[in-house]
Coordinates of all heavy atoms in Angstrom, one line a residue:
S6 N 93.3 91.4 84.6 CA 94.7 91.9 85.2 C 94.5 93.4 85.4 O 95.4 94.0 86.1 CB 95.9 91.5 84.3 OG 95.8 92.3 83.1
T7 N 93.5 94.0 84.7 CA 93.3 95.5 84.9 C 93.0 95.9 86.2 O 93.8 96.8 86.8 CB 92.3 96.0 83.9 OG1 92.6 95.5 82.5 CG2 92.3 97.4 83.9
F8 N 92.3 95.2 87.0 CA 91.8 95.5 88.3 C 93.2 95.3 89.2 O 93.7 96.2 89.9 CB 90.8 94.6 88.8 CG 90.6 94.8 90.3 CD1 89.8 96.0 90.7 CD2 90.9 94.0 91.3 CE1 89.5 96.4 92.0 CE2 90.5 94.3 92.7 CZ 89.8 95.3 93.0
K9 N 93.9 94.2 89.0 CA 95.1 94.0 89.8 C 96.1 95.1 89.5 O 96.9 95.5 90.4 CB 95.7 92.6 89.5 CG 94.9 91.5 90.0 CD 95.5 90.1 89.9 CE 94.6 89.1 90.6 NZ 95.1 87.8 90.4
D10 N 96.2 95.5 88.2 CA 97.2 96.6 87.9 C 96.9 97.8 88.6 O 97.8 98.6 89.2 CB 97.2 96.9 86.4 CG 97.9 95.6 85.6 OD1 98.6 94.8 86.2 OD2 97.7 95.6 84.3
F11 N 95.5 98.1 88.6 CA 95.1 99.4 89.3 C 95.3 99.5 90.7 O 95.6 100.4 91.4 CB 93.5 99.4 89.0 CG 92.9 100.7 89.6 CD1 93.1 101.9 88.8 CD2 92.3 100.8 90.8 CE1 92.5 103.1 89.3 CE2 91.7 101.9 91.2 CZ 91.9 103.1 90.5
I12 N 95.2 98.3 91.4 CA 95.5 98.4 92.9 C 96.9 98.0 93.4 O 97.2 98.0 94.5 CB 94.5 97.3 93.6 CG1 94.8 95.9 93.1 CG2 93.0 97.7 93.5 CD1 94.2 94.8 94.0
S13 N 97.8 97.9 92.2 CA 99.1 97.3 92.7 C 100.0 98.3 93.3 O 101.0 97.9 93.9 CB 99.8 96.9 91.3 OG 100.0 98.0 90.4
G14 N 99.9 99.7 93.2 CA 100.7 100.6 93.6 C 100.0 101.5 94.7 O 98.9 102.0 94.4
G15 N 100.7 101.7 95.9 CA 100.1 102.6 96.8 C 98.9 102.1 97.7 O 98.7 100.9 97.7
V16 N 98.2 103.0 98.2 CA 97.0 102.7 98.9 C 95.7 103.0 98.0 O 95.5 104.1 97.5 CB 97.0 103.6 100.2 CG1 95.6 103.4 101.0 CG2 98.1 103.2 101.2
T17 N 94.8 102.0 97.9 CA 93.6 102.2 97.2 C 92.5 101.6 98.0 O 92.5 100.4 98.5 CB 93.8 101.3 95.8 OG1 94.9 101.6 95.2 CG2 92.6 101.6 95.0
L18 N 91.5 102.3 98.2 CA 90.2 102.0 98.9 C 89.2 101.8 97.7 O 88.9 102.6 96.9 CB 89.8 103.0 99.8 CG 88.3 102.7 100.5 CD1 88.5 101.4 101.4 CD2 87.9 103.8 101.3
V19 N 88.6 100.4 97.5 CA 87.8 100.1 96.5 C 86.4 99.9 97.1 O 86.2 99.1 98.0 CB 88.3 98.9 95.7 CG1 87.2 98.6 94.5 CG2 89.6 99.2 95.1
D20 N 85.4 100.5 96.5 CA 84.0 100.4 97.0 C 83.2 99.5 96.0 O 83.1 99.8 94.9 CB 83.4 101.8 97.0 CG 81.7 101.8 97.2 OD1 81.3 100.8 97.9 OD2 81.2 102.8 96.7
F21 N 83.0 98.3 96.6 CA 82.2 97.4 95.6 C 80.7 97.7 96.0 O 80.2 97.6 97.2 CB 82.5 96.0 95.8 CG 83.9 95.6 95.4 CD1 85.0 95.8 96.3 CD2 84.0 95.0 94.3 CE1 86.2 95.4 95.8 CE2 85.3 94.6 93.7 CZ 86.4 94.9 94.5
S22 N 80.0 98.1 94.9 CA 78.7 98.6 95.2 C 77.7 98.2 94.0 O 78.1 97.6 93.0 CB 78.7 100.1 95.4 OG 79.2 100.7 94.3
A23 N 76.5 98.6 94.1 CA 75.5 98.4 92.9 C 74.5 99.6 93.1 O 74.2 100.2 94.0 CB 74.7 97.1 93.3
E24 N 73.9 99.9 91.9 CA 73.0 101.0 91.7 C 71.8 100.9 92.5 O 71.3 101.9 93.1 CB 72.6 101.1 90.2 CG 73.7 101.6 89.2 CD 74.0 103.1 89.4 OE1 73.0 103.9 89.6 OE2 75.2 103.4 89.3
W25 N 71.3 99.7 92.7 CA 70.1 99.4 93.4 C 70.3 99.4 94.9 O 69.3 99.3 95.7 CB 69.5 98.0 93.0 CG 70.4 96.9 92.9 CD1 71.2 96.5 91.8 CD2 71.0 96.1 94.0 NE1 72.0 95.4 92.1 CE2 72.1 95.2 93.5 CE3 70.7 96.1 95.4 CZ2 72.7 94.3 94.2 CZ3 71.3 95.1 96.1 CH2 72.3 94.3 95.6
C26 N 71.4 99.5 95.3 CA 71.8 99.5 96.9 C 71.8 100.9 97.5 O 72.5 101.8 97.1 CB 73.1 98.8 97.0 SG 74.0 99.1 98.5
A27 N 70.8 101.1 98.4 CA 70.6 102.5 99.1 C 71.7 102.8 99.8 O 72.2 104.0 99.8 CB 69.1 102.4 99.8
P28 N 72.2 101.9 100.8 CA 73.5 102.3 101.5 C 74.7 102.7 100.6 O 75.5 103.5 100.9 CB 73.8 101.0 102.3 CG 72.4 100.4 102.4 CD 71.7 100.6 101.2
C29 N 74.8 102.0 99.4 CA 75.8 102.3 98.4 C 75.7 103.7 98.1 O 76.7 104.5 98.0 CB 75.7 101.4 97.3 SG 76.0 99.6 97.7
R30 N 74.5 104.1 97.8 CA 74.2 105.6 97.2 C 74.4 106.5 98.4 O 75.0 107.6 98.0 CB 72.7 105.7 96.7 CG 72.6 104.9 95.4 CD 71.2 105.3 94.7 NE 70.0 105.2 95.6 CZ 69.4 104.0 95.7 NH1 69.7 102.9 95.0 NH2 68.3 103.8 96.4
M31 N 74.2 106.1 99.6 CA 74.5 107.0 100.7 C 76.0 107.3 100.9 O 76.4 108.3 101.5 CB 73.8 106.4 102.1 CG 72.3 106.6 101.9 SD 71.5 105.6 103.3 CE 72.0 106.6 104.7
L32 N 76.8 106.2 100.5 CA 78.1 106.3 100.7 C 78.9 107.2 99.8 O 80.0 107.7 99.9 CB 78.7 104.9 100.6 CG 80.0 104.5 101.1 CD1 80.3 104.9 102.6 CD2 80.3 102.9 101.0
V33 N 78.2 107.5 98.6 CA 78.9 108.1 97.6 C 79.5 109.6 97.9 O 80.6 109.9 97.7 CB 77.9 108.3 96.3 CG1 78.5 109.3 95.2 CG2 77.7 106.9 95.6
P34 N 78.7 110.4 98.6 CA 79.3 111.7 98.9 C 80.4 111.6 99.9 O 81.4 112.4 99.9 CB 78.1 112.4 99.6 CG 77.0 111.6 99.7 CD 77.3 110.3 98.9
I35 N 80.4 110.7 100.8 CA 81.4 110.4 101.7 C 82.7 110.1 101.1 O 83.7 110.6 101.3 CB 81.1 109.3 102.8 CG1 79.8 109.8 103.6 CG2 82.3 108.9 103.6 CD1 79.2 108.7 104.5
L36 N 82.6 109.1 100.1 CA 83.8 108.6 99.3 C 84.3 109.8 98.5 O 85.5 109.9 98.2 CB 83.4 107.4 98.4 CG 83.2 106.1 99.4 CD1 82.7 105.0 98.4 CD2 84.4 105.8 100.2
E37 N 83.4 110.6 97.8 CA 83.9 111.7 97.0 C 84.6 112.8 97.8 O 85.7 113.2 97.4 CB 82.7 112.4 96.3 CG 82.0 111.6 95.2 CD 80.8 112.2 94.6 OE1 80.2 113.2 95.2 OE2 80.4 111.6 93.6
K38 N 84.2 113.0 99.0 CA 84.9 113.9 99.9 C 86.3 113.3 100.3 O 87.4 114.0 100.3 CB 84.2 114.3 101.2 CG 84.9 115.3 102.0 CD 83.9 115.9 103.1 CE 84.6 116.9 104.0 NZ 86.1 116.9 104.1
L39 N 86.3 112.0 100.7 CA 87.6 111.5 101.0 C 88.5 111.4 99.8 O 89.7 111.6 100.0 CB 87.3 109.9 101.4 CG 87.0 109.6 102.8 CD1 86.6 108.2 103.0 CD2 88.0 110.1 103.8
A40 N 88.0 111.1 98.7 CA 88.9 111.2 97.5 C 89.5 112.5 97.2 O 90.7 112.7 96.9 CB 88.1 110.8 96.1
E41 N 88.6 113.6 97.5 CA 89.2 115.0 97.4 C 90.3 115.3 98.5 O 91.3 115.8 98.2 CB 88.1 115.9 97.6 CG 88.3 117.4 97.2 CD 87.1 118.2 97.3 OE1 86.1 117.9 96.5 OE2 87.0 119.1 98.1
D42 N 90.0 114.8 99.7 CA 90.9 115.1 100.9 C 92.3 114.2 100.8 O 93.3 114.7 101.2 CB 90.2 114.7 102.1 CG 89.0 115.8 102.4 OD1 89.0 116.8 101.8 OD2 88.3 115.4 103.4
M43 N 92.1 113.2 100.1 CA 93.2 112.2 100.1 C 94.0 112.1 98.7 O 94.8 111.2 98.5 CB 92.8 110.7 100.4 CG 92.1 110.6 101.8 SD 93.1 111.0 103.2 CE 94.2 109.5 103.4
T44 N 93.7 113.1 97.9 CA 94.3 113.1 96.6 C 95.7 112.7 96.4 O 96.0 111.8 95.5 CB 94.0 114.6 95.8 OG1 92.8 114.9 95.9 CG2 94.6 114.5 94.5
D45 N 96.6 113.1 97.3 CA 98.0 112.8 97.1 C 98.4 111.6 97.9 O 99.6 111.2 97.8 CB 98.9 114.0 97.6 CG 98.6 115.3 96.7 OD1 98.2 115.0 95.5 OD2 98.8 116.4 97.3
K46 N 97.5 111.0 98.7 CA 98.0 110.0 99.5 C 97.3 108.6 99.2 O 97.9 107.5 99.3 CB 97.5 110.2 101.0 CG 98.1 111.5 101.5 CD 97.6 111.8 103.0 CE 98.1 113.2 103.4 NZ 97.5 113.8 104.6
A47 N 96.1 108.6 98.6 CA 95.4 107.3 98.4 C 94.4 107.5 97.2 O 94.0 108.7 97.0 CB 94.6 106.9 99.6
V48 N 94.0 106.4 96.6 CA 93.0 106.4 95.5 C 91.8 105.9 96.1 O 91.8 104.7 96.7 CB 93.6 105.5 94.4 CG1 92.6 105.4 93.2 CG2 94.9 106.2 93.8
I49 N 90.7 106.4 95.7 CA 89.4 105.9 96.1 C 88.7 105.5 94.8 O 88.7 106.3 93.9 CB 88.5 107.0 96.8 CG1 89.2 107.6 97.9 CG2 87.2 106.3 97.3 CD1 89.5 106.9 99.1
A50 N 88.3 104.2 94.7 CA 87.7 103.7 93.5 C 86.4 103.0 93.7 O 86.1 102.5 94.9 CB 88.7 102.9 92.8
K51 N 85.6 102.8 92.6 CA 84.3 102.2 92.7 C 84.3 101.0 91.8 O 84.6 101.4 90.6 CB 83.2 103.2 92.6 CG 81.9 102.7 92.6 CD 80.8 103.8 92.6 CE 79.4 103.3 92.5 NZ 78.4 104.4 92.4
V52 N 83.6 100.0 92.2 CA 83.4 98.9 91.2 C 82.0 98.4 91.3 O 81.4 98.2 92.4 CB 84.3 97.6 91.5 CG1 83.9 96.5 90.7 CG2 85.8 97.8 91.3
D53 N 81.2 98.5 90.2 CA 79.7 98.2 90.2 C 79.7 96.7 90.0 O 80.2 96.2 88.9 CB 79.1 99.0 89.2 CG 77.5 98.6 89.1 OD1 77.2 97.5 89.3 OD2 76.8 99.7 88.9
I54 N 79.2 96.0 91.0 CA 79.2 94.5 90.9 C 78.4 93.9 89.8 O 78.7 92.8 89.3 CB 78.8 93.9 92.3 CG1 77.3 94.2 92.6 CG2 79.7 94.3 93.4 CD1 76.7 93.2 93.7
D55 N 77.4 94.7 89.4 CA 76.6 94.2 88.3 C 77.3 94.5 86.9 O 77.0 93.7 86.0 CB 75.2 95.0 88.3 CG 74.3 94.7 89.4 OD1 74.5 93.5 89.9 OD2 73.6 95.6 89.9
Q56 N 78.2 95.4 86.8 CA 78.9 95.7 85.7 C 80.3 94.9 85.6 O 80.8 94.6 84.5 CB 79.2 97.2 85.4 CG 77.9 98.0 85.1 CD 78.1 99.4 85.1 OE1 79.3 99.8 84.7 NE2 77.2 100.2 84.9
S57 N 80.7 94.6 86.7 CA 82.0 93.8 86.8 C 81.8 92.6 87.7 O 82.5 92.4 88.7 CB 83.1 94.7 87.4 OG 83.2 95.9 86.5
P58 N 81.0 91.6 87.3 CA 80.7 90.5 88.2 C 81.9 89.6 88.4 O 82.1 89.0 89.4 CB 79.7 89.7 87.5 CG 79.7 90.2 86.0 CD 80.2 91.6 86.1
N59 N 82.8 89.5 87.4 CA 84.0 88.6 87.6 C 85.0 89.3 88.6 O 85.5 88.5 89.5 CB 84.7 88.4 86.2 CG 83.9 87.6 85.2 OD1 83.0 86.9 85.6 ND2 84.2 87.7 84.0
T60 N 85.1 90.5 88.5 CA 86.0 91.2 89.5 C 85.4 91.0 90.9 O 86.2 90.6 92.0 CB 86.1 92.6 89.2 OG1 86.7 92.9 88.0 CG2 87.1 93.4 90.3
A61 N 84.2 91.3 91.0 CA 83.5 91.1 92.4 C 83.5 89.6 92.8 O 83.8 89.4 94.2 CB 82.0 91.4 92.2
A62 N 83.3 88.7 92.0 CA 83.5 87.3 92.4 C 84.9 86.9 92.8 O 85.1 86.1 93.7 CB 83.1 86.4 91.2
S63 N 85.9 87.4 92.0 CA 87.2 87.1 92.4 C 87.6 87.7 93.7 O 88.5 87.2 94.4 CB 88.2 87.7 91.3 OG 88.2 89.1 91.4
M64 N 87.0 88.8 94.2 CA 87.2 89.3 95.6 C 86.2 88.8 96.6 O 86.3 89.3 97.7 CB 87.2 90.8 95.5 CG 88.1 91.5 94.5 SD 89.8 91.0 94.9 CE 90.0 91.5 96.6
N65 N 85.4 87.8 96.3 CA 84.4 87.2 97.2 C 83.6 88.2 97.8 O 83.2 88.2 99.0 CB 85.2 86.4 98.3 CG 86.1 85.3 97.9 OD1 85.7 84.5 96.9 ND2 87.4 85.1 98.3
I66 N 83.0 89.0 97.0 CA 81.9 89.9 97.4 C 80.7 89.4 97.5 O 80.1 88.8 96.6 CB 81.9 91.2 96.3 CG1 83.3 91.9 96.3 CG2 80.8 92.3 96.9 CD1 83.9 92.4 97.5
T67 N 80.0 89.3 98.8 CA 78.9 88.8 99.0 C 77.7 89.7 99.4 O 76.5 89.4 99.4 CB 78.9 87.6 100.0 OG1 79.4 88.1 101.3 CG2 79.9 86.4 99.5
S68 N 78.1 90.9 99.7 CA 77.2 92.0 100.3 C 77.7 93.4 99.9 O 78.9 93.5 99.6 CB 77.1 92.0 101.8 OG 76.6 90.8 102.3
V69 N 76.8 94.3 99.5 CA 77.3 95.6 99.2 C 76.7 96.5 100.1 O 75.5 96.3 100.6 CB 76.9 95.9 97.7 CG1 77.7 95.2 96.8 CG2 75.4 95.6 97.4
P70 N 77.3 97.7 100.4 CA 78.6 97.9 100.0 C 79.8 97.2 100.7 O 79.6 97.0 101.9 CB 78.8 99.4 100.3 CG 77.8 99.8 101.5 CD 76.7 98.7 101.2
T71 N 80.7 96.8 100.0 CA 81.9 96.2 100.6 C 83.0 97.1 100.2 O 83.2 97.4 99.0 CB 82.2 94.7 100.1 OG1 81.1 94.0 100.6 CG2 83.6 94.2 100.7
L72 N 83.8 97.6 101.3 CA 85.0 98.3 101.0 C 86.2 97.7 101.3 O 86.3 97.0 102.4 CB 84.9 99.7 101.8 CG 83.7 100.6 101.6 CD1 83.3 101.3 102.8 CD2 84.2 101.5 100.4
I73 N 87.1 97.5 100.4 CA 88.3 96.8 100.4 C 89.5 97.8 100.4 O 89.6 98.5 99.4 CB 88.5 95.6 99.5 CG1 87.3 94.6 99.7 CG2 89.8 94.9 99.8 CD1 87.5 93.4 98.7
L74 N 90.3 97.7 101.4 CA 91.6 98.6 101.3 C 92.8 97.7 100.9 O 93.1 96.6 101.6 CB 91.8 99.2 102.8 CG 93.0 100.2 102.8 CD1 92.7 101.4 102.0 CD2 93.0 100.6 104.3
F75 N 93.5 98.2 99.9 CA 94.6 97.6 99.3 C 95.8 98.5 99.5 O 95.8 99.6 99.4 CB 94.5 97.4 97.9 CG 93.4 96.4 97.6 CD1 92.1 97.0 97.2 CD2 93.5 95.1 97.4 CE1 91.0 96.1 96.8 CE2 92.4 94.2 97.0 CZ 91.3 94.7 96.8
K76 N 96.9 97.8 99.8 CA 98.3 98.5 99.9 C 99.2 97.8 99.0 O 99.4 96.6 99.3 CB 98.8 98.6 101.4 CG 100.0 99.4 101.5 CD 100.4 99.8 102.9 CE 101.5 100.8 103.0 NZ 101.8 101.1 104.4
N77 N 99.7 98.4 98.0 CA 100.5 97.7 97.0 C 100.1 96.4 96.5 O 100.8 95.4 96.4 CB 102.0 97.5 97.6 CG 102.5 98.9 97.9 OD1 102.4 99.9 97.2 ND2 103.3 99.0 99.2
G78 N 98.7 96.4 96.2 CA 98.2 95.1 95.7 C 97.7 94.1 96.7 O 96.9 93.2 96.4
K79 N 98.0 94.3 97.9 CA 97.5 93.4 99.0 C 96.5 93.9 99.8 O 96.4 95.0 100.1 CB 98.7 93.0 99.9 CG 100.0 92.5 99.3 CD 100.0 91.1 99.2 CE 101.3 90.6 98.7 NZ 101.4 89.9 97.5
E80 N 95.4 93.0 100.0 CA 94.3 93.4 100.8 C 94.8 93.6 102.3 O 95.3 92.6 102.8 CB 93.1 92.3 100.8 CG 91.9 92.8 101.6 CD 90.9 91.8 101.5 OE1 90.7 91.1 100.5 OE2 90.0 91.7 102.4
V81 N 94.6 94.8 102.9 CA 94.9 94.9 104.3 C 93.7 95.2 105.2 O 93.9 95.1 106.4 CB 96.0 96.2 104.4 CG1 97.2 95.8 103.7 CG2 95.4 97.5 103.8
N82 N 92.5 95.5 104.6 CA 91.4 95.6 105.4 C 90.1 95.5 104.6 O 90.1 95.8 103.4 CB 91.3 97.0 106.1 CG 90.6 97.0 107.5 OD1 89.6 96.4 107.6 ND2 91.1 97.7 108.4
R83 N 89.1 95.1 105.1 CA 87.7 95.0 104.4 C 86.7 95.2 105.4 O 86.7 94.8 106.7 CB 87.6 93.4 104.0 CG 86.4 93.2 103.4 CD 86.1 91.7 102.9 NE 87.1 91.3 101.8 CZ 86.8 90.7 100.8 NH1 85.6 90.3 100.5 NH2 87.8 90.4 99.9
T84 N 85.6 96.0 104.9 CA 84.5 96.4 105.8 C 83.2 96.4 105.0 O 83.3 96.6 103.7 CB 84.8 97.7 106.5 OG1 83.6 98.1 107.4 CG2 84.9 98.8 105.4
V85 N 82.2 95.9 105.6 CA 80.8 95.7 104.9 C 79.9 96.7 105.6 O 79.7 96.8 106.8 CB 80.4 94.3 105.0 CG1 79.1 94.1 104.3 CG2 81.4 93.3 104.3
G86 N 79.1 97.4 104.7 CA 78.1 98.2 105.2 C 78.4 99.7 105.1 O 79.6 100.0 104.8
L87 N 77.5 100.5 105.4 CA 77.7 101.9 105.4 C 78.6 102.4 106.5 O 78.4 102.0 107.7 CB 76.3 102.7 105.5 CG 76.3 104.2 105.4 CD1 76.8 104.7 104.1 CD2 74.9 104.7 105.8
K88 N 79.5 103.2 106.2 CA 80.5 103.7 107.2 C 80.5 105.3 107.3 O 80.3 105.8 106.1 CB 81.9 103.1 107.0 CG 82.0 101.6 107.0 CD 81.8 101.1 108.4 CE 81.9 99.5 108.3 NZ 80.9 98.8 109.0
D89 N 80.9 105.8 108.3 CA 81.0 107.3 108.3 C 82.4 107.7 107.8 O 83.2 106.9 107.7 CB 80.6 107.9 109.6 CG 81.6 107.5 110.7 OD1 82.7 107.1 110.5 OD2 81.1 107.7 111.9
E90 N 82.5 109.0 107.6 CA 83.8 109.6 107.0 C 84.9 109.3 108.0 O 86.0 109.1 107.6 CB 83.7 111.1 106.7 CG 84.9 111.7 106.2 CD 84.6 113.1 105.9 OE1 83.5 113.7 105.9 OE2 85.7 113.8 105.6
E91 N 84.6 109.5 109.3 CA 85.7 109.3 110.3 C 86.3 108.0 110.3 O 87.5 107.6 110.4 CB 85.3 109.8 111.7 CG 85.1 111.2 111.9 CD 84.7 111.6 113.3 OE1 85.1 110.7 114.4 OE2 84.0 112.5 113.5
S92 N 85.4 107.0 110.2 CA 85.8 105.5 110.3 C 86.7 105.2 109.1 O 87.6 104.6 109.0 CB 84.6 104.6 110.2 OG 83.8 104.8 111.3
L93 N 86.2 105.7 107.8 CA 87.0 105.5 106.6 C 88.3 106.2 106.5 O 89.4 105.6 106.1 CB 86.1 105.7 105.4 CG 85.0 104.9 105.3 CD1 84.0 105.4 104.1 CD2 85.3 103.5 105.0
L94 N 88.4 107.4 107.2 CA 89.6 108.1 107.2 C 90.6 107.5 108.1 O 91.8 107.4 107.8 CB 89.4 109.6 107.7 CG 90.4 110.5 107.7 CD1 91.0 110.7 106.2 CD2 90.0 111.9 108.2
E95 N 90.1 107.0 109.2 CA 91.0 106.2 110.2 C 91.5 104.9 109.4 O 92.7 104.7 109.6 CB 90.2 105.8 111.4 CG 90.9 105.2 112.5 CD 90.2 104.9 113.7 OE1 89.5 105.9 114.2 OE2 90.2 103.8 114.2
L96 N 90.7 104.2 108.7 CA 91.1 103.0 108.0 C 92.1 103.3 107.0 O 93.2 102.6 106.9 CB 89.8 102.6 107.2 CG 89.9 101.2 106.7 CD1 89.8 100.0 107.7 CD2 88.7 101.1 105.6
L97 N 92.0 104.5 106.2 CA 93.0 105.0 105.2 C 94.3 105.3 106.0 O 95.4 104.9 105.5 CB 92.5 106.0 104.4 CG 91.5 105.7 103.4 CD1 90.7 106.9 102.9 CD2 92.2 105.0 102.2
N98 N 94.3 106.1 107.1 CA 95.5 106.6 107.7 C 96.2 105.3 108.3 O 97.5 105.5 108.3 CB 95.1 107.5 108.8 CG 94.8 108.9 108.2 OD1 95.4 109.4 107.1 ND2 93.8 109.6 108.8
E99 N 95.6 104.3 108.8 CA 96.3 103.1 109.3 C 97.1 102.4 108.1 O 98.2 101.9 108.4 CB 95.2 102.1 109.8 CG 94.8 102.5 111.1 CD 93.7 101.5 111.6 OE1 93.5 100.4 111.1 OE2 92.9 101.8 112.6
A100 N 96.7 102.5 106.9 CA 97.5 101.9 105.7 C 98.6 102.9 105.3 O 99.4 102.4 104.5 CB 96.4 101.5 104.7
L101 N 98.5 104.0 105.5 CA 99.4 105.1 105.0 C 100.8 105.0 105.6 O 100.9 104.6 106.7 CB 98.9 106.5 105.0 CG 97.7 106.8 104.1 CD1 97.2 108.1 104.3 CD2 98.2 106.6 102.7

């Protein structure tokens, strides 16, 4: 229930990733900048699928990186693979 509680309010973008995933590592600076830019509007979070396999399984994660956008606890968008900052910003703004 901790994950569900975490995503329950507002807009949250969750990056499901793994340490061994090169595209996941390339996404880190992009997400860090977005987190900084969107501080008052959205939460950017990361879930390591190897450390939280039950959460990953409950969200049907089959590839990494998978980014899921939640609004008030409901999934509103999902994207798989490396994305640029503009694409992710557009995704977030659509949910705000």
Side-chain angles (χ1 to χ4, degrees):
S6 74
T7 306
F8 179 75
K9 287 185 180 180
D10 292 341
F11 183 75
I12 63 169
S13 67
V16 175
T17 308
L18 179 65
V19 181
D20 169 28
F21 289 87
S22 61
E24 289 287 324
W25 45 263
C26 165
C29 299
R30 290 192 303 272
M31 293 168 66
L32 198 53
V33 169
I35 296 167
L36 293 174
E37 286 175 349
K38 182 166 184 334
L39 276 176
E41 194 175 295
D42 293 347
M43 303 294 285
T44 301
D45 298 334
K46 299 176 187 168
V48 174
I49 313 292
K51 179 178 178 175
V52 173
D53 186 313
I54 63 163
D55 293 326
Q56 293 181 11
S57 302
N59 293 337
T60 302
S63 73
M64 297 307 303
N65 298 313
I66 303 302
T67 57
S68 299
V69 288
T71 294
L72 296 151
I73 303 179
L74 185 62
F75 296 94
K76 185 169 187 176
N77 299 323
K79 304 266 190 245
E80 181 178 332
V81 294
N82 209 320
R83 179 183 292 234
T84 183
V85 178
L87 183 61
K88 301 293 180 220
D89 64 21
E90 183 181 348
E91 282 182 35
S92 302
L93 295 176
L94 189 57
E95 189 176 308
L96 194 75
L97 284 162
N98 283 327
E99 287 175 10
L101 294 173

